[in-house]
Amino acid sequence: MTISLVDTHCHLDVPQFDDDRDEMLARARAAGVGTMIVPGIAIPDMPRVLAMADGHADIFVGVGVHPHEAGTWTDETLERLRAWAGHPKVVAIGEIGLDYYYDHAPREVQQQVFRDQIRLAGELGKPVIVHNRDSHGDVLRLLQENLVHAAGGVMHCFSGSLELARQCIAIGMYISFAGPLTFKNAHSLQEVAAGLPLDRLLVETDSPYLAPVPHRGKRNEPMHVGHVAAKLADLHGCPAEEVIRVTSENARKLFRLPG
């Protein structure tokens, strides 16, 4: 039996796919991608993301407010997320976290919104999808303080150290790698990936961003997630089929996916 890939993070609702979304999905399926997870970014996006999941059996979603949108947070936001999380295709709370590179919202606001959403995930028994850019210490601290449930989560598009990855795994998180793992100058990231156990790893594209080699610089899409799996296999010295099998099992376990 052929094991299908799981692209655990792809923004398929964005305008970059408006002209060829159906063709893009067909290419992904032809490339062996059997499941795609679309994380929510902002409240206005959520109905569109949920409608996409309703229309495709192989698309699942997360609901959440990205740190770039943290300034829009209100008590009503929390209740809307709680309601949407009851949708049968919602498998996570995310994309949530901290971004100290752009700082689109004050850091204390980002931290409070992140904290509130981690706690919501705990209340609902859902895993979290975590965005972390230049905020390693605070992300880890807030997860350690608030991730007190068994559902765990994933560090999306991981960019930190091996020690950070191990600390995240210790509190129930998975580590996900995207296109940057394939970049020729990504030696440190590749060392991190090689030093982690496969049973805690996931693969993703973060489409339409961060296309892997040999498509770097072009629009990314889920069909390319196999390049990330192949690089991970190279780093671990095992067949790509083994990485596909293990990472797909990991994704199904974490997100409670069918099959």
Side-chain angles (χ1 to χ4, degrees):
M1 184 179 82
T2 301
I3 304 296
S4 61
L5 286 150
V6 179
D7 184 351
T8 59
H9 198 108
C10 45
H11 299 282
L12 306 185
D13 60 309
V14 297
Q16 288 93 322
F17 293 121
D18 284 352
D19 291 339
D20 67 340
R21 185 168 284 106
D22 288 343
E23 293 82 357
M24 173 269 294
L25 292 173
R27 288 191 293 270
R29 292 159 183 153
V33 181
T35 304
M36 293 161 272
I37 298 176
V38 181
I41 294 294
I43 291 299
D45 300 338
M46 236 60 77
R48 181 175 68 249
V49 172
L50 290 168
M52 179 179 294
D54 279 335
H56 299 277
D58 52 1
I59 294 179
F60 296 84
V61 302
V63 293
V65 174
H66 190 281
H68 290 347
E69 305 294 328
T72 68
W73 185 266
T74 67
D75 291 342
E76 181 186 1
T77 304
L78 184 65
E79 295 312 311
R80 294 180 77 177
L81 291 177
R82 180 180 282 110
W84 280 324
H87 188 287
K89 298 299 286 288
V90 172
V91 296
I93 301 299
E95 178 178 353
I96 65 176
L98 304 176
D99 193 311
Y100 291 174
Y101 181 81
Y102 286 108
D103 275 330
H104 286 328
R107 294 183 180 185
E108 61 272 18
V109 173
Q110 291 188 49
Q111 291 177 26
Q112 185 58 55
V113 170
F114 185 31
R115 185 182 295 110
D116 286 348
Q117 293 182 97
I118 298 171
R119 291 174 176 174
L120 176 65
E123 173 190 329
L124 301 175
K126 301 265 187 197
V128 290
I129 299 171
V130 177
H131 173 103
N132 167 28
R133 188 162 186 186
D134 292 355
S135 51
H136 303 315
D138 282 342
V139 161
L140 179 62
R141 174 178 59 82
L142 288 167
L143 286 170
Q144 289 173 331
E145 291 173 356
N146 297 281
L147 193 71
V148 292
H149 62 92
V154 54
M155 303 298 291
H156 133 71
C157 195
F158 190 76
S159 62
S161 67
L162 181 58
E163 178 58 25
L164 175 65
R166 287 171 172 165
Q167 289 176 302
C168 290
I169 288 172
I171 57 172
M173 299 294 287
Y174 286 77
I175 307 298
S176 182
F177 293 100
L181 186 68
T182 70
F183 296 173
K184 292 181 180 179
N185 61 350
H187 304 299
S188 296
L189 187 63
Q190 291 164 4
E191 289 176 2
V192 171
L196 296 173
L198 280 179
D199 66 359
R200 301 304 297 183
L201 303 186
L202 300 172
V203 292
E204 62 171 277
T205 58
D206 201 15
S207 299
Y209 317 109
L210 300 175
V213 174
H215 305 284
R216 187 175 183 181
K218 301 177 182 178
R219 185 191 72 173
N220 201 6
E221 55 183 86
M223 70 176 291
H224 299 321
V225 72
H227 293 295
V228 183
K231 185 62 180 181
L232 204 51
D234 178 61
L235 293 169
H236 277 261
C238 65
E241 292 77 10
E242 176 68 3
V243 169
I244 292 170
R245 182 187 67 80
V246 175
T247 58
S248 295
E249 287 179 358
N250 294 344
R252 291 190 174 91
K253 179 180 178 181
L254 175 64
F255 297 112
R256 301 177 191 173
L257 299 171

